[in-house]
Amino acid sequence: MSSTDTLMDSMSSACSEALSRPVRLEVARGGGSSGGGGASVSAATDSESGVKYFIKKTSAGGGGEQMLRAEYLGVKEMADTHTIKVPEPIAYGTHKGTTAFVVFEYLDFCGGGSQYELGKQLAQMHKCFSPNGNFGFHVDNTIGATPQPNIPWDHDNWADFWDEHRLGHMLKLTGDAGLDKSTVKKLRDKTKELLSHNPQPSLLHGDLWGGNKGFAKVPSNGDKISPVIFDPATYYGDREADVAMTYLFGGFGPDFYRGYEDEWPLPEGHEKRKTVYNLYHILNHDVLFGGMYLSQARGMINKIMKD
């Protein structure tokens, strides 16, 4: 790399290597926003082919490089299932050791689309199971900007994985949510009891709130408006965790749940486990934003203890 190379030059080089053809990226309109974890999102066009791409970039320091690499690997894991549409991951890398980037297929997001198909295709992705039969993933990633531990990828017991890598992790980050040690122990014991249903380790999006799904015209599918999910916190876990989060902040209608149930009905007891799974995200919101979320988390903890 020359000392005069720009960020676009570095991204062009990474794409050229990944696609085995010359790529020359130039700034394009569209896509400008803040992405998950604080990365900025923009668009670029390849002047060689006219193809447009989404670009996410952030500082390579402070875990930024690892965050975008993990996102690339997580989206690739979902793309390789050929079930639900995701922005195809193209390349990732760094520029002069200071800026990390990842390049994705550009999608033309639009209104409309079938929530029924969204639910059905999510269930189809959930039928893709961990290749080693264990819970976790081959890389740690982030949930928003918060570190999310997934390794070692050797847990065959779901309740233990959730206690160590999800609930226990968030309790550490929130100072045990202000609870005394006795209450924390009771919460963790009760949670493990509720999660003793032995689910299969399904491929999960991991951060499936309404803002991380949409609909887009997909050229490879005849410009049909297709469901899309993006900005994941991918790992292999209980599929109920993905479905539970869809209830937190809205954006998913009755047709979504009907589509999911028609493809793969949820097992008995999933309603009780929903609060357990969503507590993780509310504790994470306390880490990220503070404010009212700790009070909401305590209300959820009380509900879990009573179930």
Side-chain angles (χ1 to χ4, degrees):
M1 183 193 306
S2 166
S3 61
T4 59
D5 282 349
T6 66
L7 174 59
M8 281 293 174
D9 291 331
S10 295
M11 291 190 290
S12 298
S13 178
C15 290
S16 296
E17 183 176 348
L19 297 172
S20 300
R21 63 171 176 80
V23 174
R24 185 176 299 171
L25 296 179
E26 299 175 350
V27 176
R29 292 183 179 181
S33 65
S34 176
S40 64
V41 182
S42 58
T45 299
D46 174 18
S47 62
E48 298 282 340
S49 65
V51 175
K52 198 172 182 180
Y53 297 99
F54 277 127
I55 293 169
K56 295 182 77 169
K57 61 182 179 179
T58 191
S59 170
E65 178 181 356
Q66 293 84 354
M67 177 184 74
L68 291 188
R69 175 178 177 270
E71 180 173 350
Y72 171 92
L73 294 171
V75 175
K76 186 176 188 304
E77 196 85 1
M78 295 192 296
D80 287 348
T81 69
H82 303 289
T83 53
I84 189 167
K85 181 63 181 173
V86 296
E88 194 76 26
I90 307 300
Y92 69 89
T94 60
H95 172 65
K96 297 183 178 179
T98 61
T99 303
F101 61 83
V102 61
V103 181
F104 294 103
E105 167 192 19
Y106 186 91
L107 294 174
D108 183 13
F109 284 92
C110 58
S114 169
Q115 289 246 348
Y116 182 89
E117 287 299 314
L118 174 64
K120 182 177 180 179
Q121 291 173 18
L122 178 68
Q124 290 169 351
M125 188 184 82
H126 285 165
K127 290 179 179 178
C128 300
F129 303 117
S130 170
N132 68 8
N134 293 326
F135 300 98
F137 197 42
H138 62 88
V139 64
D140 291 334
N141 48 28
T142 56
I143 180 82
T146 306
Q148 176 171 270
N150 298 313
I151 54 177
W153 190 6
D154 60 1
H155 282 268
D156 61 4
N157 182 289
W158 172 242
D160 288 344
F161 174 85
W162 189 266
D163 178 68
E164 180 180 342
H165 291 300
R166 296 296 181 263
L167 177 60
H169 173 61
M170 282 298 169
L171 287 172
K172 287 179 184 176
L173 295 179
T174 58
D176 285 336
L179 305 173
D180 60 63
K181 291 184 179 180
S182 174
T183 304
V184 168
K185 184 179 186 305
K186 290 177 183 177
L187 170 64
R188 295 180 74 162
D189 288 346
K190 182 64 175 181
T191 297
K192 291 177 78 171
E193 176 188 324
L194 289 169
L195 299 188
S196 61
H197 57 302
N198 297 317
Q200 293 174 280
S202 294
L203 179 61
L204 306 186
H205 177 283
D207 193 13
L208 194 58
W209 68 289
N212 285 345
K213 66 97 171 76
F215 298 91
K217 295 178 182 177
V218 179
S220 62
N221 197 21
D223 277 341
K224 178 184 175 183
I225 298 177
S226 302
V228 184
I229 55 176
F230 45 89
D231 285 353
T234 311
Y235 67 102
Y236 286 91
D238 182 8
R239 63 193 177 108
E240 292 178 28
D242 261 358
V243 178
M245 193 181 186
T246 64
Y247 286 93
L248 261 185
F249 305 113
F252 297 84
D255 284 351
F256 166 81
Y257 300 104
R258 186 165 58 87
Y260 191 97
E261 287 287 322
D262 284 353
E263 180 68 27
W264 191 12
L266 291 170
E268 185 178 349
H270 69 91
E271 286 289 343
K272 284 189 175 182
R273 293 185 286 268
K274 182 165 64 174
T275 305
V276 167
Y277 292 138
N278 285 341
L279 174 61
Y280 173 70
H281 297 292
I282 296 303
L283 287 173
N284 183 44
H285 274 60
D286 178 60
V287 173
L288 294 172
F289 310 116
M292 65 178 183
Y293 290 109
L294 187 57
S295 175
Q296 184 178 353
R298 287 175 178 166
M300 297 171 78
I301 289 168
N302 290 335
K303 186 176 188 304
I304 290 168
M305 302 287 269
K306 292 175 181 177
D307 278 341

